[in-house]
Each structure stands twice: as C-alpha cells, then as structure tokens.
Amino acid sequence: MGDKALVLLLVSLGVVAAPAGAEDLAEPYRETSREVLARAQADTRAWDKLAYLTTRIGNRLSGSPGLENAIAWAHEAMQGEGLEAVRLQPVRVPRWVRGRESLRVVSPVPRELPMLGLGMSVGTPEGGITAPVVVVRDETELEALGRAKVEGRIVAFAPDWEGYGRTVRFRSSGASWAAKLGAVAVLVRSATGRSIGSPHTGALDYAEDAPRIPAAAITVEDALWLRRMAALGETVRVTLQMEARLAGEANSANLIAEIRGREKPDEVVVLSGHLDSWDVGQGAHDDGCSCMAAWQALTILKQIGLRPRRTLRLVLWTNEENGLRGGAAYREALGAALPSHVAAIEMDGGCERPTGFGFSLARPGAARPRRGESQPAEPTDPGAVRALARVRQIASLFDAIGASAVRWGGGGADIGPLMRAGVPGLSLETVGEHYFDWHHSQGDTLDKVEPEDLRRATFMLAVMGYVLADIEPRLAPEPAAEPSR
C-alpha cells in the first residue's frame, strides 16, 4: 500500500486526522451549510406537507387510489413551487387487495386475536381454515418436526427477537418453508421488538417450488402466548379467514423533479424516498417523512438560489413495499446512460433523530450481503476507501447538529439497482430507537414524528445532495456503461 492510500485509509478509520495541506472537501461549503441549516430550522413546509399526506390522503399501497392521489397532489405542488423538469415516470405495479380478515381461537380458550395478513399472501377458502396450531421458534425446529407433525396444521413462527434483519426472514420465507411440509397456513410473529397488541404486516416471498398458503402476522404477545401454551402441552385450534388476493396490475409512477446542474447537467445525484406505504396506519415514518424531507430539501436549495455543478434529482419511488418496480423501472430507463449517475441517496429508516449517513460502493455486479448477514466494518477496496473518506469529510458539515457519523454499509432498496451497477449509495441514518415499534402497523402515524427531527433530516439531505452534486472530481469513478436494454 502506498503512503497516500495508507493515509486515506487511516483518515477513513478515524485513526488520524487529515494531514496539513490535504484537501478539505467540507471547507468551501461551510457557509452554505450554515445558510441551509438556518432555512431548515425555520421551515414549516415539510411538516405541513407531511401532515397533509398522512391526514388527508392516508396510507398508500401500490395500486390503490391513495397512492395515486398522493402522486397527483405532489406532482401539482412541485410544479407550483417552480421545481424543474417535474415529471411522472410510468411504472406498472402489482395490485394486492387485503379484503376482510380475522383470526379466532376456537379452543381451548376461545377469543379473537389481532392479525394482519402479510402482503402478497393468498386468501383462505370461503369460510376460512380451521386447524390446530404447531408452534416453532425457527426453521430448524420446523424441519425437526417433519411432515408427519406439520401436514394439515397451521404453523406459528414464534421466534425470539434478533433485530429486524434476522427476524424478518420468518415473514419473508416462513410460508414456503411450512408449505413444503404440508402446512395449510402460517402465523408469524410481527417483526418488531416491542408491541402493545399491534400486528405488523409486510411482504412475503413465495418460493417457486412450494404451494402458496395463507400467511398472517400476529402480535408479539400472542406469539409468546402460543409458545407458552405449546410448552404446557396444550393444542390450540384457530380459524383463519382472509379474503386477500392479487388483482392484476395497475398504472403508477415515480415522481421526479430537479435542480438542473449549472455546468454538468447530464451528471446526476439522486435524492429519494418511497411514496407508497402499506395499507395500514398513515405511512408517516415509512416513508412519508423521508419523501417530504427530500422534497423540501430540493425546495430550500431552490429558494436560496443554490445550483450545483451537476443535476440534483428528486425521485419519489413507487412500489417499494411490495415489488420494487419503481427502482427497477428507473434503472431500466437509464440503459447505457448509467455512468451519468454520480451518487444516489435514499432515506427509508423513519424520521427519528438523525445520526449521520451510511455509505456503500461496490464493483458492478458484486454480490451484496443478504439481509441479516454481517458486513465488514470498513471497506477494503481502495476506491471505496477513498470515497468513504470523502463522504466523511463532507459529513463534518453536520457537526452542528451532532449527526456527522458515517458508517460503511448503506443505501436503500429502491436505489439497489443503481448500486449493484456501481453507483455510490447513501442512506440517512437515525438513532432507530422506535422505528420498528411502528413499522408496517396501524401505529405508523403523524404523531410519532418529531418536527425537529424532520427539519434536521431536511437539512442533511439538502447539504449532502448539494455537495455531492457540486464537488470536483465526482465522488467515485464512473460505473461501467451497460448496453441499453
């Protein structure tokens, strides 16, 4: 390793400070950052927009009138604010309909159980499914039971909480695991560490080599109750009724607006969140607050009159929750123009107090760790080491609000197609103390958002997006072009 590379590595690790005379990326932007912070701290429009979105429009599942109303409202409002190149990028999305649903214990203690069908699940036959419940903690216990003890039964996954990245696998794959052994339905502990009797929905992924069976989320409390009943040797019988069904596809769109670059308008930094939500709650933290913060970040920059060298492009994605077709459509439309993209930022972790950013840069086509898999604390690729050091310099602009940490490993589901092609990806990070308490539940409502946290997120997105679109040279080398498809 050469001396320069060693210094960059040590700076990125925080072992040494930047040497005297070294380039300070943040210094030319400190006054601009202070001006943006003052504007963001006085801003009420991001909150007003979020209040309208959550109160007047409400939840916004792909294929629903709610989502299309939100897109139409935001499209008109962005045009009214004078943002540039405001447009809709058409996307076909799946239309999943929940319908009526219920879960009732038949014996030994008859009672209703709160539940939410998992997104993209099939429904039950008319009249529902009545069957005994077999309770397992994980896939190992399920396999140990074998077909003889699973066939014709409803499997309840009641794992311990290991964090979202690990525990969500039961929601994603549990139905197919159980179906391969003959189960007729599954109940899954909600992917949350804390609950007050609230089920949390989310998408499942049916395997191609397994029957599709109904799947529903139950509360943490009821998952643990079923586990205790099983430990007592009790057999619990339930009736599950779900009208869930796929109802074809619907027209939707990514919503795009820009501040065009003053020198290199064909080079782009993406600033984004996803406008769709699940069909419960108000979609405040997931992901309405992020969309409003990103939108208002662009608006504040326009109000101040800041125009970076490159184009800063706002994208409000469609269909993140149950298909990711918005991100795929955007990448597909780029074709051979992919190298125009300098970086992509996505906020999709709620709007609690921000702490900094996550950052990732991979070689095109390189496999990313699966959800729940550990990642290295720092990059080893020299190009990624240099880029991470530069992002950490930019993040010093957030010292004023105590949010300058930059960890290795960031990005988002919608910008995933860009990142896999070699575009640097960033995610706004927060303390994450309560996000999964509300995530995908009826509790994801406006009252859980602190206005000051929303203002801080707006400031950070505005500054990071602006600086990445303005610095020379660009954050990382151009990703390899791919032929248009």
Side-chain angles (χ1 to χ4, degrees), residues 255-274:
L255 176 55
I256 300 172
E258 297 176 348
I259 294 177
R260 293 284 287 172
R262 67 180 189 272
E263 293 179 8
K264 300 180 177 181
D266 293 334
E267 294 188 5
V268 175
V269 171
V270 168
L271 196 61
S272 68
H274 66 86

Side-chain angles (χ1 to χ4, degrees), residues 94-147:
R95 184 168 180 265
W96 179 77
V97 178
R98 178 178 300 280
R100 292 176 297 179
E101 55 187 16
S102 65
L103 178 63
R104 179 170 178 78
V105 176
V106 177
S107 65
V109 185
R111 64 186 182 99
E112 299 288 333
L113 298 184
M115 56 81 73
L116 283 173
L118 295 183
M120 311 305 282
S121 176
V122 298
T124 62
E126 188 174 353
I129 295 172
T130 300
V133 175
V134 56
V135 184
V136 298
R137 290 175 184 251
D138 55 31
E139 59 270 49
T140 302
E141 285 191 6
L142 176 68
E143 289 294 330
L145 288 175
R147 176 171 287 272

Side-chain angles (χ1 to χ4, degrees), residues 31-43:
E31 184 57 38
T32 296
S33 176
R34 285 190 283 268
E35 185 175 6
V36 175
L37 176 59
R39 287 289 187 117
Q41 287 178 326
D43 179 70

Side-chain angles (χ1 to χ4, degrees), residues 381-450:
D381 178 81
V385 169
R386 287 191 293 271
L388 177 59
R390 299 184 80 199
V391 172
R392 283 176 169 156
Q393 285 188 342
I394 297 168
S396 69
L397 296 169
F398 309 128
D399 284 339
I401 62 169
S404 57
V406 177
R407 69 173 180 88
W408 174 245
D414 297 288
I415 63 175
L418 297 177
M419 293 175 63
R420 287 189 289 275
V423 176
L426 295 93
S427 52
L428 191 143
E429 305 285 303
T430 77
V431 291
E433 293 173 340
H434 296 288
Y435 177 62
F436 289 111
D437 298 356
W438 313 311
H439 180 253
H440 293 186
S441 79
Q442 294 285 10
D444 185 6
T445 50
L446 180 65
D447 54 286
K448 312 301 192 307
V449 179
E450 293 292 337

